Each structure stands twice: as C-alpha cells, then as structure tokens.
Amino acid sequence: MGFGVEQPKSAEDLDKLRKRRERFSAAGDATTSPGVKPLAKPKKSTSKSPARVIGARRALSTVRTVVGTCQTVEKEYFRLTEAVDASQVRPLPILQEALQMVKDKWKKEHNYRYAESQLKSIRQDLRVQHVFSPFTVQVYETHARIALEVGDQAEFTQCLAQLEWLYDTLTAVHRRGADGKADVRGSNVAAGCENRLEFLSYRILYVMRQNRTTDVTRVRTQLSDSDKKDPCIAFAFSVLSAYFAGDYQQFFSLFKIAPLMAGYVMEVSIPQFRQRIFVKICTAYRPNLPVMALKEILRFPNDAELRDFLRGYKLTYTWLNESEEIDCKASLPVVKAGPEVVTDAPPAKPQPVSVRPTSKTRRKFKV
C-alpha cells in the first residue's frame, strides 16, 4: 500500500461512492467514473457583484430541488437522516396554513414545545425545497419572537443569524431586479424586509450578552444615515452606551421604555450587568451599605428577587440602626469572584471520616 488513494474493490463500495458523489456534487453530474478522480473544487468568483452572488445561489438551488406533495398541515419535526421524499414534504400553500395554525395555538395555549417542533418542521420543509421568500422571513421572525418570549436563546440566535442572511439576499435581489438590472423604481424596502431594522436592533442588543464590541463596530459601518435615525436602532445604541459605561441609572431607565420586544433581549444581560455594578458598589461604598439601598440601585422589583440575587454570594452582614447592612470591604472579594450556583437540594449527608492513629492520638483508641 503506497501513499495514494486506495481504490474500492467491491461493487458495493463502488455503488456507495457513486451515491455519495450524486448527493454532494453541486453540478449533479454522476457520469464520471467513481473512485478514480476526486471531485474538482468549485472555482471561486472574483466578482463581488450581488447579482452574481444571487445568480450562483439560484443555480445551486435548482439542483435536486424537491417539490412537496404532502397535504398534512400538522407535522412533527424530525432530523433528516436520508434523502428527502417529496411525499413527506409540504408545499408552500400547506406551509402557510401550518404557520397560521401555530400562531393561533400559541395565542391560546402557549405550549412552546409544540410550537417549536411545528416551526422547525416548517423551516425544514422550506429549506429542502429551496424556498427563500418573504414567507420564509415571516416563519423565522415568528420563531424568533416566540423563542425570545420564552427565553430560548439557542433558537433565537439561530433565527437571528438566518434572518440576517435572508434580509441581505432579498435586498440584493430587490436592488438588482429580476433581470439583473438596477431597480430604481418602487419601494426602497424589499418585500419581506419590513422588520429588518427591528431585528437588527435585537442583534445589536444581543452584543451585551456576547460581550463582543467588534460586532457593533461592524454593524455601525453597514448602517445608512436613515437606518441610524430609526427609533429601534437609536435605542439599541443608547442601551449599549449605558451598559459598557456602567451607567445603571440610564440603563434601567431605558429598560422601562424598551420598544417592541427589546426588553426581552435586555433581560438576558441584566444578571451579569447587576453583577458588574455590584462590584463597583462594594468598591465605592464604605463601610456598609443597607440592603434596601441595594434594591433601589439595582432596580429589583421586589424583596424576593433581591434575596435570590444575594443568595449567590457569601456576604458579610452587620446590623446597625436596626437595619441589615452589607459590610462592603469584607464582602468585596466574594463579590468579585462572582455568584455561586445555589440549588434547593438538601445538603449531602456527611460521610464518616476515618482517623489514622498517630503517636499523639494512639492513646485515645487504646482499649
């Protein structure tokens, strides 16, 4: 055996290699002899023209496109492990009915597990049919809003990333026109991109959780002057300025007037923001700080949430003037270390400790 590629010997291996070549070949050409030559790498286009990019994606989307024939409106989500069968895929009219059904049931029942499964199933049927249209945007926006409402950050970030690509694609097609020429007539907003700035503001606000300021700089350079004047975009940049500056008064004031669903995005970053401000408070205040003053500074809505927050720290308390206060100097190292994970599980039963007798303790074990 040399260093070359080993040729498959059996007819079964040749058949498997041929099927694999048909699945992953962008050109769909299975006439070449399997196992002889490796697949040629596609040539990279040197042009940055949006029309060529969209044209390449259209050409790629025509390969083995599935047209669904399933008439079932309600269908659970299952991960694909084999080639797609058209009888298991719903066409666009049925998918539109399915999305409306999910919206209606969510308003009545608020069953997220059901809504998540149905929406992921709709997304899968759209993807295997290569449907990238305003309806696709509507599906991802619906899923993003529901996931944001229940706090499913994983699905929310997936939808946010896909929406960014869909907005760019539909905008590029709208600007170039169907025939590849610039479309200077009609609306400046592409169909399906009416909520682009709203979800772009959520993406900007989500930087607080990821703590990546480079993304904000990149997004800011891509915005036009009219985009920066949008209320949602202006609000998002104001929140980011207050967050990274540690201006808790401005931050929580903006949180009260958050437009649309921006408040849900801000809620994700509030725990770590409170922890940052708590470190500054313990550094600045001497000698003690009343517990109720901390509730006012960090804007806890009630005493129960304040107590849950303080449970994560092994703070040092003092009682002066018949009020509970935090010893800031003694508690500062604990606060800097961050909160501990506190559970309601009962404490573990202590295990008996075996004592090894030494010269000093041997007499105690002598009978």
Side-chain angles (χ1 to χ4, degrees), residues 29 139 145 337 361:
D29 185 10
V139 172
R145 294 182 194 278
T361 60

Side-chain angles (χ1 to χ4, degrees), residues 184-233:
V184 297
R185 300 172 298 176
S187 174
N188 294 328
V189 180
C193 299
E194 294 81 6
N195 300 322
R196 181 181 69 89
L197 294 178
E198 175 192 350
F199 281 89
L200 182 58
S201 68
Y202 300 157
R203 178 186 163 199
I204 295 172
L205 290 173
Y206 206 72
V207 171
M208 295 186 297
R209 178 177 176 83
Q210 299 172 332
N211 201 21
R212 295 190 300 185
T213 56
T214 54
D215 290 351
V216 181
T217 305
R218 183 169 61 89
V219 171
R220 193 189 295 270
T221 57
Q222 295 175 353
L223 293 174
S224 62
D225 294 337
S226 59
D227 291 344
K228 294 178 182 178
K229 296 178 182 178
D230 182 79
C232 293
I233 299 296

Side-chain angles (χ1 to χ4, degrees), residues 65-217:
T65 302
V66 177
V67 179
T69 59
C70 178
Q71 299 299 311
T72 304
V73 177
E74 188 176 14
K75 190 181 79 169
E76 292 291 327
Y77 169 76
F78 295 101
R79 189 179 297 274
L80 293 177
T81 57
E82 56 185 4
V84 182
D85 187 0
S87 63
Q88 301 295 326
V89 180
R90 293 165 292 181
L92 186 59
I94 303 300
L95 293 176
Q96 292 173 344
E97 295 181 17
L99 178 61
Q100 188 60 44
M101 178 199 66
V102 173
K103 289 181 178 180
D104 295 340
K105 286 196 174 184
W106 173 253
K107 293 177 181 178
K108 296 178 181 178
E109 302 174 4
H110 269 69
N111 186 351
Y112 178 65
R113 292 306 169 194
Y114 172 82
E116 179 191 20
S117 176
Q118 293 297 317
L119 287 169
K120 291 180 72 171
S121 177
I122 296 173
R123 288 163 47 183
Q124 185 181 73
D125 288 352
L126 290 170
R127 185 165 54 251
V128 298
Q129 295 180 94
H130 301 281
V131 178
F132 307 109
S133 64
F135 174 72
T136 310
V137 175
Q138 185 180 359
V139 172
Y140 278 93
E141 287 179 348
T142 303
H143 198 169
R145 294 182 194 278
I146 295 178
L148 190 59
E149 185 175 348
V150 300
D152 189 349
Q153 300 301 320
E155 286 298 331
F156 174 70
T157 51
Q158 288 183 17
C159 294
L160 207 60
Q162 187 65 18
L163 282 171
E164 180 183 359
W165 181 85
L166 287 170
Y167 289 146
D168 292 342
T169 303
L170 295 178
T171 301
V173 173
H174 175 74
R175 290 176 178 174
R176 301 302 301 179
D179 54 356
K181 298 180 180 180
D183 186 8
V184 297
R185 300 172 298 176
S187 174
N188 294 328
V189 180
C193 299
E194 294 81 6
N195 300 322
R196 181 181 69 89
L197 294 178
E198 175 192 350
F199 281 89
L200 182 58
S201 68
Y202 300 157
R203 178 186 163 199
I204 295 172
L205 290 173
Y206 206 72
V207 171
M208 295 186 297
R209 178 177 176 83
Q210 299 172 332
N211 201 21
R212 295 190 300 185
T213 56
T214 54
D215 290 351
V216 181
T217 305

Side-chain angles (χ1 to χ4, degrees), residues 40-53:
K41 294 182 179 180
K43 296 181 179 180
K44 295 182 179 180
S45 176
T46 58
S47 174
K48 300 294 184 180
S49 171
R52 294 205 175 189
V53 174

Side-chain angles (χ1 to χ4, degrees), residues 287-288 318-325:
N288 304 324
T318 60
W319 288 85
L320 294 176
N321 301 323
E322 298 182 355
S323 64
E324 187 180 14
E325 298 184 356

